[in-house]
Amino acid sequence: MSFQVGCALLDFLVLSILRRGDAYGYILTQEVRTILDVSETSLYPALRRLEKSGLLTTYDMPYQGRNRRYYRLTTQGQAALADYIVQWRQLKHNMDSLLGEDEA
């Protein structure tokens, strides 16, 4: 059994990865897949949604005769990530408490 990946969790993950620096789609896909089992067909709509929401911006860079689209966290994206981090820590605390794994 695996957990269903909701939009918020995928958004949180993408923003967290981009906090370390700009990345292009393939690299983002590979990094996301180290944590969650998602397909490119799930990731690219999430990237477009985050861009449309103003949390990401994009730019293209030539690479071997083609362009790679890079994604960058915006100031608004950094603020959204900070909110996600607070929410994640609260959820983790609540789950740890529920499972009897809270710190004494």
Side-chain angles (χ1 to χ4, degrees):
M1 179 181 137
S2 62
F3 294 100
Q4 291 291 91
V5 177
C7 291
L9 182 57
L10 186 54
D11 292 355
F12 178 33
L13 184 54
V14 168
L15 296 175
S16 297
I17 291 168
L18 290 174
R19 177 174 65 171
R20 296 181 294 187
D22 302 355
Y24 60 95
Y26 177 78
I27 292 298
L28 278 170
T29 301
Q30 297 308 306
E31 291 213 30
V32 167
R33 284 182 176 167
T34 65
I35 298 170
L36 295 174
D37 184 24
V38 296
S39 67
E40 288 181 32
T41 57
S42 298
L43 184 61
Y44 283 99
L47 291 170
R48 284 190 294 278
R49 182 180 63 254
L50 290 167
E51 183 181 11
K52 187 176 179 182
S53 299
L55 305 181
L56 302 180
T57 188
T58 62
Y59 61 93
D60 293 336
M61 293 285 293
Y63 178 78
Q64 295 183 350
R66 296 176 36 187
N67 278 337
R68 280 185 175 165
R69 173 143 301 163
Y70 282 81
Y71 297 87
R72 174 182 292 152
L73 204 55
T74 64
T75 302
Q76 187 177 349
Q78 292 170 355
L81 177 57
D83 289 341
Y84 276 127
I85 290 169
V86 169
Q87 293 174 44
W88 177 259
R89 287 182 176 147
Q90 185 61 53
L91 176 63
K92 182 183 180 316
H93 172 76
N94 292 345
M95 288 300 297
D96 286 346
S97 294
L98 177 68
L99 299 171
E101 298 177 6
D102 52 337
E103 297 177 19

